[in-house]
Amino acid sequence: MTNTSHEVVKGPHHSGDAAPIALSAHSISKRFPGVLANDSVDFDVRAGEVHTLLGENGAGKSTLAAMLCGLYQPDSGYLMRNGQQISLSSPRAGLQHGIAMVHQHFRLVERFTVAENVILGSRDLSFRLNRSELEDRVSAVAESYGLPIEPGATVGDLSVGQRQRVEILKVLFRGANILIFDEPTAVLVPQEVDDLFDALKGLRAKGMAVIFISHKLDEVLRVADDVTVVRQGSTVAEVKSKDVTARQLAELMVGSELPQPTTHGDTR
C-alpha cells in the first residue's frame, strides 16, 4: 500500500449506501512566504462520519483545516458545501454554512460561567435573558448531544477536558454540523481522551460530519471511519480505517516502507 509519489491511493468505498458529501475541497492550494503548505488538495467529508486528516507535523493538514472553516482563504481551488460552491472569507462565514473549528487552545473567558461562554458572541441571544433561562437553554443543548456539564459552573474551575466540552458546545449552540478538531487530544489525560472519543461518536450518530486532525495512529484507528493521509502538502491516500493497519498508515505518512523489526536472538 505504500505510495512514494503524490498519486492519491483510494481504498474501496461502497457508494450504494454512502452518506452524502457534506463538505469537499477541490484542488485547494495555499502558499506562505517560502512554503507551499497545500498543493492541489482534494478532500471529502460525509455526514455521519468521523474523517481523520492524518500526517506528520508540518504535512499541511492544519492549513487545510483552516481553509475548510474560513480561517485562511485558498490561493486556488474551491470548496463545495452540499453540492454548492462556497467561498469562506472568515470563520464567521464558515459558521453561516455550519462549519466550525474546535481549537486546541481554548478561547474561553475563565471568570464567566459555562453558559455565559457558550452564548458569548451569539447574535441570536443576549445577556438580557435571565440567568435561569440562559442556563436551561445551554443545558438542553448539552444533554441533546450527550455532553453533560453544569451550565452555572465557572470555567476557571473546570478541568481541561470540561473546558474542551464547552468549546464544543459553543459551536453546536451556533448551529454547526461540520466540526473540525485540530489535534484535540494533545492537552488531555487518557480518561479525557476516552470521553472525547465517546463525544465524537455521539456527534457522528447525530449525523454530524467530524474532521479529526491527528498524527497519532492508535487514536486514528480507534475513532475514524475514513482517513485521508497528507504528506508534504498533498493528499496521498484515502482509506477506510478498518481496511488498514497502523504500519500501513505510517508508511503512507512517510512515503516509504518501514524497516522490518528484528529479533535479537536471530544470528542469521
Side-chain angles (χ1 to χ4, degrees):
M1 173 171 278
T2 303
N3 179 33
T4 56
S5 71
H6 281 171
E7 179 182 355
V8 178
V9 176
K10 292 193 176 184
H13 284 261
H14 306 290
S15 58
D17 58 358
I21 294 174
L23 179 66
S24 58
H26 296 267
S27 299
I28 292 288
S29 295
K30 182 67 176 178
R31 182 181 293 277
F32 298 101
V35 178
L36 180 59
N38 287 132
D39 185 12
S40 298
V41 170
D42 293 314
F43 174 75
D44 297 330
V45 60
R46 296 179 182 274
E49 76 169 17
V50 177
H51 194 134
T52 289
L53 279 172
L54 175 68
E56 296 184 285
N57 290 331
K61 55 190 186 296
S62 292
T63 300
L64 174 58
M67 289 187 285
L68 295 177
C69 71
L71 187 61
Y72 294 157
Q73 288 71 52
D75 296 328
S76 61
Y78 59 95
L79 301 177
M80 299 283 287
R81 175 79 166 99
N82 293 329
Q84 301 293 319
Q85 186 170 334
I86 61 173
S87 178
L88 304 180
S89 59
S90 67
R92 184 175 291 277
L95 261 175
Q96 290 173 350
H97 289 278
I99 309 164
M101 174 88 78
V102 178
H103 295 275
Q104 181 186 121
H105 302 291
F106 308 142
R107 301 180 176 189
L108 303 172
V109 181
E110 292 194 0
R111 68 179 184 276
F112 285 4
T113 67
V114 169
E116 289 168 343
N117 270 280
V118 169
I119 193 178
L120 189 62
S122 173
R123 292 183 172 183
D124 298 325
L125 297 173
S126 77
F127 284 101
R128 288 176 293 181
L129 290 171
N130 67 63
R131 181 178 296 273
S132 177
E133 183 178 4
L134 172 61
E135 292 180 359
D136 285 348
R137 293 196 185 193
V138 171
S139 182
V141 173
E143 290 177 10
S144 68
Y145 288 101
L147 297 166
I149 197 164
E150 173 51 55
T154 301
V155 162
D157 296 332
L158 301 180
S159 68
V160 172
Q162 289 171 319
R163 295 185 192 200
Q164 186 179 70
R165 186 166 294 186
V166 178
E167 288 282 6
I168 298 171
L169 285 173
K170 280 171 58 178
V171 298
L172 291 174
F173 194 82
R174 289 160 173 74
N177 51 30
I178 298 176
L179 277 68
I180 305 170
F181 292 81
D182 189 2
E183 300 281 0
T185 65
V187 295
L188 303 180
V189 300
Q191 180 57 54
E192 291 173 333
V193 172
D194 292 341
D195 292 341
L196 172 64
F197 286 177
D198 287 343
L200 297 187
K201 292 172 183 176
L203 294 173
R204 176 182 62 189
K206 288 277 192 180
M208 302 280 178
V210 176
I211 301 170
F212 178 76
I213 302 170
S214 183
H215 64 275
K216 299 178 181 179
L217 299 175
D218 58 332
E219 294 182 355
V220 170
L221 292 174
R222 277 182 63 189
V223 76
D225 299 300
D226 289 282
V227 182
T228 292
V229 182
V230 183
R231 187 173 73 239
Q232 297 176 9
S234 297
T235 48
V236 296
E238 300 170 17
V239 296
K240 293 285 188 183
S241 63
K242 63 182 179 63
D243 295 331
V244 292
T245 64
R247 182 183 182 87
Q248 289 172 323
L249 288 176
E251 290 177 345
L252 288 168
M253 286 171 62
V254 301
S256 62
E257 293 187 4
L258 299 178
Q260 294 292 333
T262 57
T263 303
H264 292 296
D266 188 352
T267 58
R268 290 177 294 171

